[in-house]
């Protein structure tokens, strides 16, 4: 479903990702872990086209996100091409990023009507159904600013799902939440993981969640994948000293 | 030999109510012209300023530099020069406009270069996450602007725009240089027929005060309600 080949990303002289290769199969849940600055979030931002890669190619669902064919040659993708491929990808942000000038309903129906061309009734039905899933049916006409962080994040998850994405990107979605609200959001994500066959890429510091949610965990360090294993293996018997140190540090903190 | 001022003072009172009432209708008519120019000029300044701000944010090569240069030239030269320029030079290019229209255009374009900065600040104050969320949902650019960014940016810039409307109102008298009969020009004409200037100019000043002061109070209340950028 997702293929990174030889992807490079630099900010000025600082190399964030170098010669990065990895593949994610359809329906797989992959958690990205590692110290901050190791390039995990950059991977999600590249997939969401919030940033452009400096080298290499990224494919999503068989389509190339970074390049396109024109006259038999591969050229950098233009806005229109990117837009088409991007529709299949949804993202949930650390800071929720709900639109504060719209109600919860407005947030949920905006893109389905404007981008997917759903009728108002269809989009509304979808919004109602998704709010039920995230347990916020009674907040449909509330403004996001009136909601708690946990509620805002549930709405943001519903908003991403309203686009029926094939791929869902979760960028530290519980990092900005008060501790007592984290468990609820994680339970919701587990529920979504079980009920749907969406491919999920998740950057997280919640090792307990990674352990039972992920099919595979990628350990990042210095812009490279240094370890790629099922959670049962990676958390119990990591191959690398770096992974062991990282896990120890994270577990000590928690 | 100059006439001693004491002689003049004795000849006429400093303030003549009858004369004041006599010139008032002319000044009120001129006030209507002043308000018309302010409203039309402000509408132009607000619309054009927004266009400039959005264009500059889009960073289209060449066009961006042209717009930037234009804004800098307008901001760095006196409004009066721009008024004369438009009034005298435009006809050479076959564009003959009434003094009224030159006034609206000159004030509108001049202030647009300032309101564009206000809009820019308002747009910059919208968090980056809002743009990113719009991208993540694949919203078209036009929709991102009209449904997400501007509804958040505009309420915050309203007080600053209001203040520019008030300053434009007070700069309309510059148009007397090209013969527009606004309040100060009307006062001058009344005075030059009777050689009594105290009443017309005082009334002119009071008319500006009577409108500007409540207007700025209104803007201050608006500021408290929406906050500022």
């Amino acid at each position: 479903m997702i293929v990174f080949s030889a992807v490079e990303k630099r900010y000025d002289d600082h190399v964030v990702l170098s010669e990065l290769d990895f593949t994610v199969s359809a329906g797989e849940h992959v958690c990205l872990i590692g110290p901050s600055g190791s390039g995990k979030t950059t991977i999600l931002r590249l997939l969401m086209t919030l940033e452009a890669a400096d080298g290499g190619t990224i494919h999503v669902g068989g389509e190339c996100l970074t390049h396109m064919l024109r006259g038999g040659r591969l050229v950098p993708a233009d806005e229109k091409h990117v837009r088409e491929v991007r529709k299949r990808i949804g993202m949930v942000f650390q800071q929720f990023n709900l639109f504060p000038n719209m109600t919860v309903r407005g947030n949920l129906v905006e893109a389905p009507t404007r981008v997917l061309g759903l009728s108002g009734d269809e989009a509304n039905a979808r919004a109602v159904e998704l709010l039920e899933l995230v347990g916020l049916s009674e907040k449909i006409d509330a403004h996001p600013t009136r909601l708690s962080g946990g509620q805002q994040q549930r709405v943001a998850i519903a908003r991403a799902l309203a686009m029926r994405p094939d791929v869902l990107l979760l960028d530290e979605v519980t990092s900005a939440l008060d501790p007592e609200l984290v468990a609820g959001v994680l339970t919701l994500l587990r529920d979504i993981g079980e009920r749907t066959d969406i491919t999920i890429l998740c950057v997280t510091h919640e090792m307990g969640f990674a352990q039972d949610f992920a099919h595979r965990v990628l350990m990042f360090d210095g812009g490279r994948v240094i370890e790629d294993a099922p959670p049962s293996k990676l958390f119990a018997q990591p191959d690398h000293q770096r992974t062991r140190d990282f896990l120890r540090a994270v577990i000590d903190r928690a | 030999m100059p006439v001693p001022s004491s002689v003049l003072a004795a000849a006429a009172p400093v303030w003549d109510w009858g004369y004041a009432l006599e010139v008032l209708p002319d000044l009120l008519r001129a006030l209507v012209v002043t308000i018309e120019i302010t409203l039309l000029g402000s509408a132009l300044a607000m619309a054009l300023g927004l266009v400039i701000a959005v264009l500059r944010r889009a960073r289209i090569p060449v066009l961006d530099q042209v717009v930037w240069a234009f804004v800098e030239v307008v901001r760095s030269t006196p409004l009066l020069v721009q008024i004369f320029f438009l009034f005298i030079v435009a006809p050479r290019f076959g564009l003959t406009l009434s003094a009224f229209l030159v006034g609206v255009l000159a004030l509108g374009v001049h202030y647009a270069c300032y309101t564009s900065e206000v809009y820019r600040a308002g747009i910059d104050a919208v968090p980056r996450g809002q743009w990113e969320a719009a991208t993540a949902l694949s919203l078209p650019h036009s929709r991102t602007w009209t449904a997400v960014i501007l509804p958040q940016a505009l309420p915050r810039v309203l007080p600053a725009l209001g203040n520019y409307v008030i300053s434009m109102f007070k700069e309309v008298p510059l148009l007397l240089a090209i013969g527009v009969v606004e309040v100060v020009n009307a006062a001058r004409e009344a005075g030059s027929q009777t050689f009594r200037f105290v009443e017309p100019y005082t009334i002119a000043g009071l008319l500006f005060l009577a409108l500007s002061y409540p207007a700025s109070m209104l803007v201050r209340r608006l500021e408290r309600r929406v906050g500022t950028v």
Side-chain angles (χ1 to χ4, degrees), chain A residues 45 48 50 79 83 86-87 89 93 97-102 110-111 114-115 159 163, chain B residues 128-141 143 146-149 151-152:
Chain A
R45 296 178 61 84
M48 199 66 259
L50 299 175
E79 179 65 23
R83 189 177 291 282
R86 187 171 58 199
K87 274 187 204 168
I89 309 172
F93 299 88
N97 297 346
L98 292 176
F99 303 134
N101 56 311
M102 301 178 190
E110 175 65 27
R114 297 286 165 171
V115 180
R159 180 174 70 173
M163 294 294 282
Chain B
R128 206 166 64 135
Q130 294 291 309
W131 293 93
E132 295 185 344
T135 303
L137 292 167
S138 286
L139 289 185
H141 284 306
R143 191 66 193 162
T146 57
V148 178
I149 304 304
Q152 295 182 55

Side-chain angles (χ1 to χ4, degrees), chain B residues 116-177:
Chain B
S116 70
E117 289 296 304
V118 172
Y119 285 120
R120 189 187 57 76
I123 291 164
D124 287 352
V126 177
R128 206 166 64 135
Q130 294 291 309
W131 293 93
E132 295 185 344
T135 303
L137 292 167
S138 286
L139 289 185
H141 284 306
S142 57
R143 191 66 193 162
T144 301
W145 276 108
T146 57
V148 178
I149 304 304
L150 293 181
Q152 295 182 55
L154 295 187
R156 278 181 279 204
V157 304
L158 282 180
L161 292 180
N163 280 327
Y164 275 122
V165 173
I166 297 168
S167 8
M168 185 190 290
F169 175 59
K170 292 183 294 175
E171 289 210 282
V172 173
L174 283 176
L175 299 176
L176 72 79

Side-chain angles (χ1 to χ4, degrees), chain A residues 52-243:
Chain A
D54 296 311
T57 57
I58 302 171
H59 284 77
V60 176
E63 306 237 25
C64 189
L65 188 61
T66 46
H67 297 75
M68 59 185 208
L69 272 177
R70 181 180 282 158
R73 287 192 317 129
L74 269 186
V75 295
D78 64 14
E79 179 65 23
K80 189 162 164 271
H81 176 84
V82 165
R83 189 177 291 282
E84 276 312 304
V85 183
R86 187 171 58 199
K87 274 187 204 168
R88 316 173 65 169
I89 309 172
M91 183 160 180
V92 183
F93 299 88
Q94 187 176 350
Q95 298 294 341
F96 333 131
N97 297 346
L98 292 176
F99 303 134
N101 56 311
M102 301 178 190
T103 60
V104 167
R105 188 199 305 269
N107 270 277
L108 264 62
V109 303
E110 175 65 27
T113 52
R114 297 286 165 171
V115 180
L116 303 181
L118 260 60
S119 73
D121 285 347
E122 289 170 309
N124 195 54
R126 208 178 261 197
V128 169
E129 185 189 321
L130 283 165
L131 283 176
E132 200 171 317
L133 172 75
V134 303
L136 287 172
S137 298
E138 77 285 3
K139 300 291 186 190
I140 190 159
D141 289 313
H143 274 271
T145 45
R146 299 266 170 202
L147 304 180
S148 73
Q151 291 172 329
Q152 289 192 49
Q153 196 58 298
R154 288 158 180 272
V155 173
I157 291 166
R159 180 174 70 173
L161 292 177
M163 294 294 282
R164 300 266 160 92
D166 297 329
V167 176
L168 184 62
L169 309 175
L170 306 174
D171 186 13
E172 301 196 29
V173 295
T174 58
S175 297
L177 298 180
D178 291 334
E180 74 272 20
L181 302 174
V182 170
V185 170
L186 294 181
T187 304
L188 171 64
L189 291 174
R190 286 189 186 97
D191 193 27
I192 290 165
E194 274 168 29
R195 286 203 202 185
T196 67
D197 52 6
I198 302 175
T199 307
I200 300 179
L201 232 68
C202 172
V203 171
T204 185
H205 294 293
E206 299 287 337
M207 295 305 145
F209 174 72
Q211 199 150 14
D212 62 44
F213 179 76
H215 301 128
R216 248 166 78 209
V217 179
L218 303 186
M219 167 73 194
F220 275 80
D221 193 37
R224 291 169 178 278
V225 180
I226 60 167
E227 197 152 351
D228 175 353
S232 52
K233 161 87 169 65
L234 192 129
F235 289 114
Q237 303 161 292
D239 289 335
H240 285 258
Q241 187 58 40
R242 264 314 268 139
T243 312

